[in-house]
C-alpha cells in the first residue's frame, strides 16, 4: 500500500525532471522546441516512467523479465537524476541569493552557463549510474579472522564462507551465481552459509531453475551448505520495492524449497544442527516473515537453551538484530545480511542509524557479529558506495 501512497511524489518528481529536461533541450537547439519532437520525447519519457508499473502488471514470461530488468535500471538512473538535479537547483538558488545580497547586476546565469549546467547534470547522472552498474557486477571477497574462546577436539579452526542477499530473479541469474560459486570454491571452505534473501520473491523470475540448482549444487564444502530464509524468500508481488497485503501468510513458494533441496542445501527454519560433534549451527526464521508453519519465531534463549554451550555456537540470522540477546543466550558468532549496506548512495549513509551493525564486524558482549553487504541487489540494479561481496571467515578455536 505504501507504493500507492508514494506514487504522487514519484509522479511529481517525474514531471519536474521532464520539465527541466525540456528546458535544457530547448536551450540547446530550436529543433527540440518543435511540438512533434517534444511529443516524441514526452512519449519516450512516459514509457520510462511507467516501466515499473508495466512490468508489475504484465503476466509472467520472457517479456515481463525484460521489462522488469529494464525498470530496475530505470529506477537507479532516475534516483541519480533526481539527486543531481536537486543539487543543481540548490546550487542555483545559492548563487542567486549571493548575487542578490550584493546587488550584483549579473545575478542571472548566461545562456551558455545554463547549457553547461544542463550538460553537467546529464553527465553526472550517466557517470553515477554507470559506476553503479559496474560496481554491482563486481564481486569481492572480504576476509575476517575471529577467535572463539572454546577448545574443540580435533578442530583448531574453521573456514566459513558467508553469502547473503543473492536475490536470484530479475537482476540475478545463472551467470552471476556461477561467478559466486567459483569464488566460493577457490576459498576451499569447511562450511558455507547463505544468510537469507536467496530468492527475489517470485519463483517465475528465475531464468533457469534446473541450471540454477545445478550451479548451487556445485558448491564444494567439507561440512556442506546451510541456509536460512529472509524477508524476500516469500512469494509475493513487488512494485518498485514495495509489497501489498494478501490473504493468508506470506511463505516461500514450495518450488523454492525444492530447488534448495535439489542443490543439496540444508534449510534451517528455527532449527539447530550439531556438525561433526564439534560445533552448533543455528538457523533462525526471518523476524518479519517467518514463513510457512511459523507464526512466531523462537527467541534466542529458546533456540539455544538445550545446547551444550561448551561447544561453539554459530547463528545464521538474515537480519542483524537481537545481538545482545543472542550474546546473552550463549551465541559465539552471528552471521547476517539484509542491509545491503544501503546498496546505493546515499542509502549507505543512513544504515548506521538503523542497525547496530549495518555492515562488517562488531563485537557485542563477547559475541562476533559479521554482516555482509550481499551478493546481489534489490530494485535498482546498481551499487554505489557499497560492494557486492562474499565473506571468508577464519574462525580459530582456543
Amino acid at each position: 500500500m505504501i507504493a500507492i501512497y508514494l506514487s504522487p511524489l514519484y509522479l511529481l518528481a517525474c514531471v519536474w525532471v521532464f520539465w527541466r529536461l525540456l528546458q535544457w533541450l530547448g536551450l540547446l537547439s530550436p529543433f527540440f522546441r518543435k511540438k512533434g519532437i517534444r511529443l516524441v520525447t514526452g512519449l519516450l519519457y512516459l514509457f520510462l516512467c511507467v516501466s515499473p508499473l508495466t512490468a508489475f502488471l504484465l503476466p509472467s514470461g520472457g517479456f515481463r523479465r525484460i521489462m522488469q530488468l529494464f525498470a530496475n535500471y530505470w529506477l537507479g538512473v532516475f534516483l541519480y537524476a533526481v539527486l543531481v538535479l536537486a543539487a543543481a537547483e540548490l546550487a542555483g538558488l545559492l548563487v542567486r541569493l549571493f548575487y542578490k545580497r550584493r546587488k550584483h547586476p549579473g545575478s542571472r546565469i548566461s545562456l551558455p552557463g545554463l547549457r553547461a549546467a544542463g550538460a553537467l547534470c546529464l553527465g553526472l547522472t550517466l557517470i553515477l549510474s554507470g559506476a553503479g552498474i559496474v560496481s554491482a557486477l563486481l564481486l569481492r571477497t572480504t576476509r575476517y579472522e575471529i577467535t572463539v574462546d572454546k577448545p574443540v577436539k580435533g578442530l583448531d579452526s574453521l573456514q566459513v564462507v558467508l553469502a547473503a542477499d543473492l536475490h536470484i530473479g530479475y537482476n540475478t541469474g545463472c551467470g552471476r551465481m556461477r561467478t559466486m560459486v567459483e569464488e566460493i570454491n577457490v576459498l576451499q571452505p569447511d562450511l558455507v552459509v547463505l544468510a537469507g534473501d536467496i530468492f527475489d520473491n517470485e519463483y517465475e523470475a528465475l531464468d533457469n531453475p534446473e541450471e540454477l540448482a545445478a550451479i548451487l549444487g556445485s558448491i564444494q564444502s567439507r561440512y556442506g551448505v546451510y541456509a536460512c530464509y529472509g524477508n524476500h524468500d516469500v512469494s509475493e508481488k513487488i512494485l518498485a520495492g514495495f509489497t501489498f497485503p494478501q490473504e493468508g501468510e506470506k511463505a516461500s513458494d514450495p518450488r523454492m524449497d525444492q530447488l534448495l533441496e535439489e542443490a543439496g542445501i540444508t534449510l534451517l527454519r528455527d532449527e539447530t544442527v550439531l556438525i561433526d560433534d564439534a560445533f552448533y549451527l543455528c538457523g533462525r526464521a526471518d523476524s518479519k516473515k517467518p514463513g510457512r508453519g511459523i507464526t512466531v519465531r523462537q527467541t534466542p534463549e529458546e533456540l539455544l537453551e538445550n545446547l551444550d554451550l561448551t561447544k561453539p555456537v554459530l547463528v545464521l540470522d538474515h537480519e542483524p538484530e537481537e545481538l545482545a540477546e543472542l550474546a546473552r543466550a550463549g551465541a559465539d558468532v552471528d552471521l547476517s545480511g539484509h542491509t545491503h549496506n544501503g546498496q546505493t548512495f546515499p542509502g549507505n549513509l543512513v544504515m548506521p542509524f538503523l542497525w547496530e551493525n549495518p555492515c562488517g564486524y562488531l563485537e557485542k558482549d563477547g559475541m562476533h557479529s559479521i554482516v555482509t553487504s550481499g551478493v546481489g541487489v534489490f530494485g535498482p540494479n546498481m551499487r554505489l558506495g557499497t560492494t557486492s561481496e562474499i565473506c571468508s571467515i577464519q574462525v580459530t578455536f582456543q
Side-chain angles (χ1 to χ4, degrees):
M1 295 300 292
I2 298 178
I4 297 175
Y5 298 139
L6 292 180
S7 58
L9 294 178
Y10 173 71
L11 293 175
L12 286 174
C14 288
V15 171
W16 171 48
V17 172
F18 183 62
W19 172 54
R20 286 305 196 190
L21 177 64
L22 283 184
Q23 284 184 319
W24 178 65
L25 290 175
L27 293 174
L28 289 180
S29 170
F31 174 77
F32 292 106
R33 298 176 202 156
K34 295 180 180 180
K35 290 184 178 180
I37 299 301
R38 290 198 169 196
L39 178 61
V40 172
T41 304
L43 291 174
L44 290 173
Y45 185 78
L46 179 62
F47 171 76
L48 294 172
C49 292
V50 301
S51 59
L53 180 61
T54 303
F56 178 79
L57 296 175
L58 284 172
S60 300
F63 184 59
R64 185 184 180 191
R65 285 188 55 80
I66 295 173
M67 278 301 303
Q68 186 63 62
L69 183 60
F70 183 84
N72 287 343
Y73 280 116
W74 158 251
L75 288 172
V77 173
F78 183 72
L79 166 66
Y80 288 113
V82 169
L83 290 177
V84 168
L85 188 55
E89 297 276 17
L90 179 60
L93 176 62
L94 293 176
V95 168
R96 288 192 295 272
L97 289 175
F98 177 81
Y99 281 119
K100 186 176 180 180
R101 285 186 176 182
R102 285 156 179 75
K103 298 181 180 180
H104 196 284
S107 60
R108 298 187 65 179
I109 302 176
S110 65
L111 183 60
L114 290 172
R115 289 173 178 169
L120 180 62
C121 289
L122 178 61
L124 280 175
T125 299
L126 295 178
I127 290 172
L128 291 173
S129 300
I133 292 171
V134 172
S135 179
L137 292 173
L138 299 176
L139 184 62
R140 301 167 177 83
T141 299
T142 304
R143 299 178 184 272
Y144 298 93
E145 294 183 3
I146 60 176
T147 300
V148 173
D149 294 326
K150 292 180 180 179
V152 178
K153 186 177 180 180
L155 189 64
D156 296 327
S157 64
L158 186 70
Q159 178 70 25
V160 181
V161 171
L162 166 66
D165 302 288
L166 281 56
H167 286 282
I168 305 174
Y170 296 111
N171 288 332
T172 304
C174 292
R176 182 66 166 176
M177 288 298 95
R178 192 175 291 107
T179 299
M180 182 194 75
V181 171
E182 290 172 356
E183 294 293 326
I184 290 175
N185 289 342
V186 165
L187 297 170
Q188 299 181 322
D190 296 316
L191 178 70
V192 175
V193 291
L194 307 178
D197 279 4
I198 300 164
F199 301 99
D200 205 15
N201 296 97
E202 298 179 57
Y203 183 85
E204 289 76 11
L206 304 186
D207 53 355
N208 190 327
E210 292 78 14
E211 185 176 356
L212 282 167
I215 292 170
L216 293 174
S218 65
I219 297 176
Q220 300 170 13
S221 172
R222 176 183 178 185
Y223 293 123
V225 184
Y226 293 83
C228 69
Y229 271 156
N231 56 302
H232 286 285
D233 292 310
V234 295
S235 183
E236 61 181 338
K237 299 274 281 184
I238 300 288
L239 174 59
F242 298 100
T243 62
F244 293 85
Q246 66 183 46
E247 294 183 2
E249 67 174 347
K250 294 182 178 181
S252 59
D253 190 309
R255 294 172 294 179
M256 296 177 180
D257 306 342
Q258 183 180 352
L259 190 151
L260 295 184
E261 185 177 348
E262 291 174 356
I265 298 172
T266 302
L267 179 64
L268 299 176
R269 303 170 65 248
D270 263 359
E271 297 170 295
T272 300
V273 291
L274 176 60
I275 298 177
D276 198 27
D277 198 33
F279 62 93
Y280 292 103
L281 177 64
C282 308
R284 305 194 71 188
D286 184 69
S287 61
K288 305 296 189 301
K289 300 172 184 177
R292 189 180 303 106
I294 302 176
T295 54
V296 179
R297 72 171 181 170
Q298 296 182 48
T299 65
E301 290 77 12
E302 292 170 338
L303 190 64
L304 276 60
E305 64 180 348
N306 295 320
L307 305 187
D308 177 5
L309 296 182
T310 63
K311 291 181 168 64
V313 178
L314 282 64
V315 176
L316 191 59
D317 191 359
H318 177 60
E319 299 185 25
E321 58 184 13
E322 296 185 318
L323 300 184
E325 292 85 348
L326 283 166
R328 188 164 54 248
D332 299 296
V333 182
D334 183 52
L335 305 173
S336 303
H338 182 66
T339 69
H340 292 221
N341 197 20
Q343 187 168 314
T344 57
F345 175 86
N348 56 318
L349 303 181
V350 179
M351 289 299 106
F353 298 99
L354 302 179
W355 301 96
E356 186 175 8
N357 182 13
C359 187
Y361 174 82
L362 173 71
E363 182 179 351
K364 180 67 176 181
D365 299 335
M367 182 187 74
H368 304 281
S369 166
I370 295 178
V371 180
T372 175
S373 63
V375 173
V377 293
F378 176 67
N381 200 356
M382 297 178 185
R383 276 187 181 271
L384 198 62
T386 66
T387 60
S388 293
E389 66 174 8
I390 58 174
C391 295
S392 173
I393 307 165
Q394 184 73 21
V395 185
T396 301
F397 303 114
Q398 68 177 21

